[in-house]
């Protein structure tokens, strides 16, 4: 078996650069079906206060009159796994949108806060992107 290396557009966390997959279909089955709960539900927040910070930001933006939506790229059973993660970590927001991919995200939103490299590099000039760096 050879190491499949997908672009950041197809694999933003570069999982295919660390694990062996025969082809893109095997990788997508691994990510969105076979191990979705291990990847999306059982992960830990990037730092201990992450959900508290997200809830505070969400609350302050809504209180200021903004429409705020948490957006996540999901397919198959990963949606349920992400909802479980949010519930377990006490996410308090009301608006959650699941997209199949992020290719048209800038058509939906004017301001995005993200760490996703594809979303960051695809930002149009008339939109605002706040980039989060977890390193």
């Amino acid at each position: 078996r050879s190491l499949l290396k997908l672009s950041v557009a197809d694999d933003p966390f570069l999982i295919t650069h660390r694990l062996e997959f025969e082809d893109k279909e095997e990788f997508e089955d691994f990510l969105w079906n076979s191990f979705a709960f291990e990847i999306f539900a059982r992960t830990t927040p990037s730092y201990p206060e992450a959900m508290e910070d997200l809830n505070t930001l969400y609350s302050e933006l809504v209180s200021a009159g903004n429409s705020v939506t948490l957006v996540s790229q999901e397919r198959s059973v990963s949606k349920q796994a992400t909802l479980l993660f949010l519930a377990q970590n006490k996410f308090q927001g009301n608006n959650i949108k699941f997209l199949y991919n992020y290719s048209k995200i800038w058509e939906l939103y004017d301001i995005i806060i993200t760490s996703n490299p594809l979303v960051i590099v695809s930002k149009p000039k008339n939109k605002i992107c706040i980039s989060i760096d977890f390193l």
Side-chain angles (χ1 to χ4, degrees):
R1 287 170 56 110
S2 63
L3 193 62
L4 172 72
K5 291 186 179 179
L6 295 175
S7 70
V8 72
D10 293 318
D11 181 12
F13 302 107
L14 301 176
I15 294 169
T16 58
H17 294 237
R18 295 182 201 98
L19 301 176
E20 290 184 10
F21 298 96
E22 233 173 80
D23 53 30
K24 188 174 178 180
E25 290 75 27
E26 183 182 18
F27 164 69
E28 288 183 349
D29 180 63
F30 169 84
L31 185 65
W32 306 115
N33 294 302
S34 301
F35 288 90
F37 274 85
E38 289 79 358
I39 294 168
F40 300 105
R42 294 188 181 144
T43 191
T44 57
S46 51
Y47 61 95
E49 302 83 17
M51 195 58 70
E52 183 180 330
D53 289 348
L54 178 60
N55 285 331
T56 298
L57 177 63
Y58 192 100
S59 176
E60 288 178 4
L61 289 169
V62 169
S63 294
N66 297 290
S67 174
V68 180
T69 304
L70 179 71
V71 179
S72 185
Q73 177 177 316
E74 303 296 338
R75 299 179 194 159
S76 193
V77 298
S78 70
K79 180 178 177 179
Q80 295 90 330
T82 295
L83 289 170
L84 178 59
F85 170 82
L86 293 171
Q88 289 171 332
N89 289 284
K90 300 176 179 81
F91 176 63
Q92 296 173 351
N94 293 320
N95 298 323
I96 303 170
K97 182 163 184 72
F98 296 101
L99 301 176
Y100 183 80
N101 65 48
Y102 289 134
S103 64
K104 299 191 188 272
I105 194 167
W106 288 108
E107 293 174 20
L108 301 171
Y109 303 100
D110 294 324
I111 301 171
I112 297 176
I113 302 171
T114 187
S115 64
N116 185 298
L118 176 63
V119 175
I120 295 167
V121 300
S122 66
K123 181 194 86 61
K125 291 186 185 287
N126 63 336
K127 306 285 182 148
I128 297 171
C129 182
I130 300 169
S131 175
I132 307 274
D133 183 9
F134 289 109
L135 300 177

